[in-house]
Amino acid sequence: MDNSVALVTGANKGIGQEMARQLVAAGLTVYVGSRDASRGERAAGEIGRDARLLVLDVTDAASIAEAAGQVGTLDILINNAGISGDGETADHEDIGTFRRIYETNVFGVVAVTNAFLPALRRSAHPRIVNISSGTGSLEWATGPQFPHRGTYAAYRSSKAALNALTVYYAHALADDGIKVNALAPGLRRTDLNAAAAASDGDPAEAAAGAVRLALLPDDGPSGEFFSWDGTPVPW
Ligand code: NAP
């Protein structure tokens, strides 16, 4: 993968930083997307020489344009930046919370993806990975065993929307050879997951699942949803 270039949004900590670390270990140059320059600088410094800070707030059009202007060819875009919310059901949730979460988890992905498409089109093997959540699966949500019936509606519906966009982008970009897939990272010990217990999964394990999708061969899948361990997740 020498000379390949990746961008991970929200890579200053959590699963995103682990993805950046693993991509650098695989021989890539990685832009560490961070909305805060000092947090991103520190994260890139921890990863090593081939990790470079790219200041990028996925909700800010000027920041996205500025970042896209600094990248020539991009082989891999991982849309990882995300925020969670409270556990409310839709009927009790504040509309402002819906808007805030969608702004990052849905509209941010559209804005960043579209801005970096020219750079991805310059790649011989372009890949996009959207970091979704198994809680966004409608098939799982409507199953009898699902633990979150109706709760976390704003976050979970944002990930269901991201899943839909994964399919639509995969179809729209197929002729350009750009593969687009979604990943369910599983429950991980990060700042996003306030209830994370020591027994919850290692973020590095989830990152490995994303890296696998980022490095898919040309005959690999597109427009699909995978768990961190490579097994398919139903939409
Ligand atoms: P995290 O540790 O909280 O990291 C989230 C990252 O997103 C941070 O770098 C954060 O930056 C960044 N971010 C948030 N808003 C942003 C914005 N407007 N612009 C740019 N960056 C922004 O959480 P994580 O668990 O690693 O989450 C990574 C992804 O995995 C998310 O999409 C999340 O929904 C998904 N996920 C996580 C779990 C889990 O159990 N942890 C489960 C399923 C899915 P700041 O430091 O500046 O806030």
Side-chain angles (χ1 to χ4, degrees):
M1 297 309 295
D2 285 354
N3 302 322
S4 289
V5 176
L7 163 60
V8 183
T9 67
N12 55 286
K13 65 179 181 178
I15 301 169
Q17 188 181 6
E18 280 302 327
M19 291 172 199
R21 193 190 313 279
Q22 292 180 22
L23 287 166
V24 165
L28 284 83
T29 298
V30 179
Y31 286 106
V32 172
S34 175
R35 59 180 161 178
D36 179 88
S38 59
R39 287 198 291 270
E41 193 72 72
R42 191 183 58 228
E46 284 169 13
I47 295 169
R49 197 168 47 86
D50 293 328
R52 299 182 188 159
L53 166 67
L54 189 68
V55 175
L56 174 56
D57 182 334
V58 305
T59 64
D60 181 332
S63 168
I64 294 169
E66 169 89 22
Q70 294 176 52
V71 177
T73 299
L74 187 65
D75 300 288
I76 293 162
L77 169 62
I78 303 186
N79 287 307
N80 166 75
I83 56 172
S84 60
D86 51 41
E88 288 296 352
T89 53
D91 54 322
H92 285 106
E93 188 58 279
D94 172 55
I95 188 68
T97 301
F98 268 96
R99 288 201 172 104
R100 191 173 54 81
I101 293 176
Y102 275 54
E103 201 61 57
T104 302
N105 295 5
V106 184
F107 309 142
V109 172
V110 174
V112 169
T113 301
N114 290 352
F116 282 89
L117 275 179
L120 285 161
R121 288 196 171 101
R122 289 183 204 114
S123 166
H125 309 281
R127 308 284 182 259
I128 297 173
V129 183
N130 292 331
I131 306 305
S132 179
S133 167
T135 68
S137 164
L138 293 178
E139 190 164 326
W140 281 355
T142 49
Q145 306 297 331
F146 195 71
H148 308 291
R149 288 191 82 82
T151 58
Y152 295 94
Y155 176 75
R156 288 171 52 210
S157 63
S158 78
K159 294 299 188 180
L162 178 60
N163 287 349
L165 285 166
T166 300
V167 173
Y168 305 153
Y169 269 113
H171 291 175
L173 300 176
D175 288 347
D176 294 332
I178 303 179
K179 293 188 186 299
V180 189
N181 290 290
L183 181 91
L187 193 59
R188 302 292 161 185
R189 292 186 301 271
T190 68
D191 291 347
L192 179 114
N193 178 11
S199 59
D200 288 342
D202 183 350
E205 193 176 49
V211 168
R212 196 179 307 121
L213 294 179
L215 302 180
L216 279 176
D218 287 344
D219 62 353
S222 186
E224 296 188 22
F225 188 17
F226 294 96
S227 182
W228 58 273
D229 62 1
T231 55
V233 178
W235 297 113

